[in-house]
PDB file of all heavy atoms in Angstrom:
ATOM      1  N   GLY B 445     -24.746   3.512 253.622  1.00 97.00           N
ATOM      2  CA  GLY B 445     -23.752   2.723 252.878  1.00 97.00           C
ATOM      3  C   GLY B 445     -24.132   1.212 252.892  1.00 97.00           C
ATOM      4  O   GLY B 445     -25.283   0.919 252.927  1.00 97.00           O
ATOM      5  N   ALA B 446     -23.130   0.346 252.828  1.00 97.00           N
ATOM      6  CA  ALA B 446     -23.390  -1.041 252.459  1.00 97.00           C
ATOM      7  C   ALA B 446     -23.981  -1.838 253.548  1.00 97.00           C
ATOM      8  O   ALA B 446     -24.690  -2.934 253.315  1.00 97.00           O
ATOM      9  CB  ALA B 446     -22.154  -1.673 251.965  1.00 97.00           C
ATOM     10  N   TYR B 447     -23.801  -1.475 254.760  1.00 98.00           N
ATOM     11  CA  TYR B 447     -24.314  -2.305 255.992  1.00 98.00           C
ATOM     12  C   TYR B 447     -25.039  -1.387 256.932  1.00 98.00           C
ATOM     13  O   TYR B 447     -24.797  -0.165 256.973  1.00 98.00           O
ATOM     14  CB  TYR B 447     -23.181  -3.057 256.553  1.00 98.00           C
ATOM     15  CG  TYR B 447     -22.733  -4.149 255.708  1.00 98.00           C
ATOM     16  CD1 TYR B 447     -21.522  -3.983 254.819  1.00 98.00           C
ATOM     17  CD2 TYR B 447     -23.329  -5.366 255.642  1.00 98.00           C
ATOM     18  CE1 TYR B 447     -21.152  -4.993 254.019  1.00 98.00           C
ATOM     19  CE2 TYR B 447     -22.970  -6.419 254.798  1.00 98.00           C
ATOM     20  CZ  TYR B 447     -21.902  -6.180 253.951  1.00 98.00           C
ATOM     21  OH  TYR B 447     -21.462  -7.157 253.094  1.00 98.00           O
ATOM     22  N   GLY B 448     -25.866  -1.982 257.713  1.00 97.00           N
ATOM     23  CA  GLY B 448     -26.846  -1.259 258.470  1.00 97.00           C
ATOM     24  C   GLY B 448     -26.361  -0.880 259.957  1.00 97.00           C
ATOM     25  O   GLY B 448     -27.164  -0.477 260.745  1.00 97.00           O
ATOM     26  N   ASN B 449     -25.020  -1.038 260.164  1.00 98.00           N
ATOM     27  CA  ASN B 449     -24.552  -0.801 261.515  1.00 98.00           C
ATOM     28  C   ASN B 449     -24.818   0.693 261.887  1.00 98.00           C
ATOM     29  O   ASN B 449     -24.462   1.562 261.175  1.00 98.00           O
ATOM     30  CB  ASN B 449     -23.014  -1.004 261.528  1.00 98.00           C
ATOM     31  CG  ASN B 449     -22.225  -0.580 260.344  1.00 98.00           C
ATOM     32  OD1 ASN B 449     -22.612  -0.845 259.261  1.00 98.00           O
ATOM     33  ND2 ASN B 449     -21.173   0.163 260.654  1.00 98.00           N
ATOM     34  N   HIS B 450     -25.482   0.886 262.993  1.00 98.00           N
ATOM     35  CA  HIS B 450     -25.824   2.153 263.587  1.00 98.00           C
ATOM     36  C   HIS B 450     -26.817   2.925 262.726  1.00 98.00           C
ATOM     37  O   HIS B 450     -27.238   4.168 262.992  1.00 98.00           O
ATOM     38  CB  HIS B 450     -24.643   3.042 263.811  1.00 98.00           C
ATOM     39  CG  HIS B 450     -23.624   2.477 264.858  1.00 98.00           C
ATOM     40  ND1 HIS B 450     -23.886   2.530 266.153  1.00 98.00           N
ATOM     41  CD2 HIS B 450     -22.489   1.771 264.630  1.00 98.00           C
ATOM     42  CE1 HIS B 450     -22.855   1.940 266.783  1.00 98.00           C
ATOM     43  NE2 HIS B 450     -22.069   1.571 265.920  1.00 98.00           N
ATOM     44  N   ALA B 451     -27.292   2.378 261.623  1.00 98.00           N
ATOM     45  CA  ALA B 451     -28.158   3.202 260.704  1.00 98.00           C
ATOM     46  C   ALA B 451     -29.432   3.778 261.337  1.00 98.00           C
ATOM     47  O   ALA B 451     -29.734   4.907 261.297  1.00 98.00           O
ATOM     48  CB  ALA B 451     -28.616   2.317 259.466  1.00 98.00           C
ATOM     49  N   GLU B 452     -30.104   2.793 262.035  1.00 97.00           N
ATOM     50  CA  GLU B 452     -31.356   3.319 262.562  1.00 97.00           C
ATOM     51  C   GLU B 452     -31.188   4.207 263.827  1.00 97.00           C
ATOM     52  O   GLU B 452     -31.775   5.237 263.990  1.00 97.00           O
ATOM     53  CB  GLU B 452     -32.158   1.963 263.040  1.00 97.00           C
ATOM     54  CG  GLU B 452     -33.548   2.423 263.592  1.00 97.00           C
ATOM     55  CD  GLU B 452     -34.406   1.103 263.749  1.00 97.00           C
ATOM     56  OE1 GLU B 452     -34.125   0.060 263.255  1.00 97.00           O
ATOM     57  OE2 GLU B 452     -35.516   1.258 264.484  1.00 97.00           O
ATOM     58  N   ALA B 453     -30.289   3.819 264.707  1.00 97.00           N
ATOM     59  CA  ALA B 453     -30.060   4.552 265.889  1.00 97.00           C
ATOM     60  C   ALA B 453     -29.567   5.926 265.633  1.00 97.00           C
ATOM     61  O   ALA B 453     -29.965   6.935 266.247  1.00 97.00           O
ATOM     62  CB  ALA B 453     -29.086   3.852 266.821  1.00 97.00           C
ATOM     63  N   VAL B 454     -28.724   6.093 264.593  1.00 98.00           N
ATOM     64  CA  VAL B 454     -28.232   7.395 264.200  1.00 98.00           C
ATOM     65  C   VAL B 454     -29.365   8.296 263.759  1.00 98.00           C
ATOM     66  O   VAL B 454     -29.491   9.463 263.986  1.00 98.00           O
ATOM     67  CB  VAL B 454     -27.045   7.285 263.204  1.00 98.00           C
ATOM     68  CG1 VAL B 454     -26.731   8.648 262.524  1.00 98.00           C
ATOM     69  CG2 VAL B 454     -25.805   6.815 263.868  1.00 98.00           C
ATOM     70  N   LEU B 455     -30.239   7.686 262.862  1.00 98.00           N
ATOM     71  CA  LEU B 455     -31.330   8.435 262.291  1.00 98.00           C
ATOM     72  C   LEU B 455     -32.193   8.919 263.354  1.00 98.00           C
ATOM     73  O   LEU B 455     -32.595  10.162 263.403  1.00 98.00           O
ATOM     74  CB  LEU B 455     -32.157   7.509 261.342  1.00 98.00           C
ATOM     75  CG  LEU B 455     -33.436   8.225 260.810  1.00 98.00           C
ATOM     76  CD1 LEU B 455     -32.988   9.282 259.814  1.00 98.00           C
ATOM     77  CD2 LEU B 455     -34.320   7.125 260.111  1.00 98.00           C
ATOM     78  N   PHE B 456     -32.570   8.109 264.356  1.00 97.00           N
ATOM     79  CA  PHE B 456     -33.428   8.496 265.438  1.00 97.00           C
ATOM     80  C   PHE B 456     -32.807   9.594 266.331  1.00 97.00           C
ATOM     81  O   PHE B 456     -33.517  10.528 266.697  1.00 97.00           O
ATOM     82  CB  PHE B 456     -33.815   7.218 266.329  1.00 97.00           C
ATOM     83  CG  PHE B 456     -34.899   6.489 265.676  1.00 97.00           C
ATOM     84  CD1 PHE B 456     -34.876   5.850 264.548  1.00 97.00           C
ATOM     85  CD2 PHE B 456     -36.289   6.459 266.365  1.00 97.00           C
ATOM     86  CE1 PHE B 456     -36.010   5.171 263.941  1.00 97.00           C
ATOM     87  CE2 PHE B 456     -37.351   5.760 265.762  1.00 97.00           C
ATOM     88  CZ  PHE B 456     -37.204   5.089 264.592  1.00 97.00           C
ATOM     89  N   HIS B 457     -31.546   9.449 266.642  1.00 97.00           N
ATOM     90  CA  HIS B 457     -30.849  10.406 267.437  1.00 97.00           C
ATOM     91  C   HIS B 457     -30.765  11.797 266.689  1.00 97.00           C
ATOM     92  O   HIS B 457     -31.022  12.808 267.203  1.00 97.00           O
ATOM     93  CB  HIS B 457     -29.488   9.895 267.842  1.00 97.00           C
ATOM     94  CG  HIS B 457     -28.845  10.694 268.921  1.00 97.00           C
ATOM     95  ND1 HIS B 457     -27.572  11.290 268.777  1.00 97.00           N
ATOM     96  CD2 HIS B 457     -29.270  10.995 270.116  1.00 97.00           C
ATOM     97  CE1 HIS B 457     -27.365  11.946 269.885  1.00 97.00           C
ATOM     98  NE2 HIS B 457     -28.230  11.846 270.780  1.00 97.00           N
ATOM     99  N   ALA B 458     -30.488  11.718 265.382  1.00 98.00           N
ATOM    100  CA  ALA B 458     -30.417  12.889 264.503  1.00 98.00           C
ATOM    101  C   ALA B 458     -31.667  13.689 264.610  1.00 98.00           C
ATOM    102  O   ALA B 458     -31.652  14.926 264.581  1.00 98.00           O
ATOM    103  CB  ALA B 458     -30.033  12.516 263.084  1.00 98.00           C
ATOM    104  N   CYS B 459     -32.740  13.003 264.677  1.00 98.00           N
ATOM    105  CA  CYS B 459     -34.061  13.664 264.644  1.00 98.00           C
ATOM    106  C   CYS B 459     -34.671  14.028 265.989  1.00 98.00           C
ATOM    107  O   CYS B 459     -35.739  14.458 266.098  1.00 98.00           O
ATOM    108  CB  CYS B 459     -35.085  12.812 263.939  1.00 98.00           C
ATOM    109  SG  CYS B 459     -34.649  12.578 262.188  1.00 98.00           S
ATOM    110  N   SER B 460     -33.842  13.869 266.969  1.00 97.00           N
ATOM    111  CA  SER B 460     -34.346  13.985 268.345  1.00 97.00           C
ATOM    112  C   SER B 460     -34.009  15.439 269.010  1.00 97.00           C
ATOM    113  O   SER B 460     -34.711  16.412 268.814  1.00 97.00           O
ATOM    114  CB  SER B 460     -33.954  12.939 269.291  1.00 97.00           C
ATOM    115  OG  SER B 460     -34.436  11.702 268.873  1.00 97.00           O
ATOM    116  N   GLU B 461     -32.833  15.462 269.662  1.00 97.00           N
ATOM    117  CA  GLU B 461     -32.508  16.667 270.383  1.00 97.00           C
ATOM    118  C   GLU B 461     -32.374  17.897 269.578  1.00 97.00           C
ATOM    119  O   GLU B 461     -32.573  18.998 270.042  1.00 97.00           O
ATOM    120  CB  GLU B 461     -31.264  16.455 271.144  1.00 97.00           C
ATOM    121  CG  GLU B 461     -31.253  15.425 272.240  1.00 97.00           C
ATOM    122  CD  GLU B 461     -30.601  14.050 271.737  1.00 97.00           C
ATOM    123  OE1 GLU B 461     -31.203  13.562 270.785  1.00 97.00           O
ATOM    124  OE2 GLU B 461     -29.727  13.580 272.477  1.00 97.00           O
ATOM    125  N   SER B 462     -32.001  17.768 268.224  1.00 98.00           N
ATOM    126  CA  SER B 462     -31.807  18.978 267.379  1.00 98.00           C
ATOM    127  C   SER B 462     -33.170  19.699 267.234  1.00 98.00           C
ATOM    128  O   SER B 462     -33.176  20.896 267.015  1.00 98.00           O
ATOM    129  CB  SER B 462     -31.335  18.497 266.041  1.00 98.00           C
ATOM    130  OG  SER B 462     -32.217  17.524 265.480  1.00 98.00           O
ATOM    131  N   VAL B 463     -34.297  18.969 267.301  1.00 98.00           N
ATOM    132  CA  VAL B 463     -35.609  19.633 267.150  1.00 98.00           C
ATOM    133  C   VAL B 463     -36.140  19.862 268.587  1.00 98.00           C
ATOM    134  O   VAL B 463     -36.911  20.897 268.896  1.00 98.00           O
ATOM    135  CB  VAL B 463     -36.591  18.646 266.407  1.00 98.00           C
ATOM    136  CG1 VAL B 463     -38.001  19.257 266.372  1.00 98.00           C
ATOM    137  CG2 VAL B 463     -36.047  18.512 264.981  1.00 98.00           C
ATOM    138  N   ALA B 464     -35.869  18.951 269.521  1.00 98.00           N
ATOM    139  CA  ALA B 464     -36.553  19.088 270.855  1.00 98.00           C
ATOM    140  C   ALA B 464     -35.994  20.313 271.654  1.00 98.00           C
ATOM    141  O   ALA B 464     -36.650  20.672 272.706  1.00 98.00           O
ATOM    142  CB  ALA B 464     -36.247  17.795 271.638  1.00 98.00           C
TER     143      ALA B 464
END
Side-chain angles (χ1 to χ4, degrees):
Chain B
Y447 289 94
N449 43 310
H450 297 282
E452 181 172 347
V454 165
L455 176 69
F456 276 64
H457 194 236
C459 292
S460 298
E461 295 100 300
S462 54
V463 174

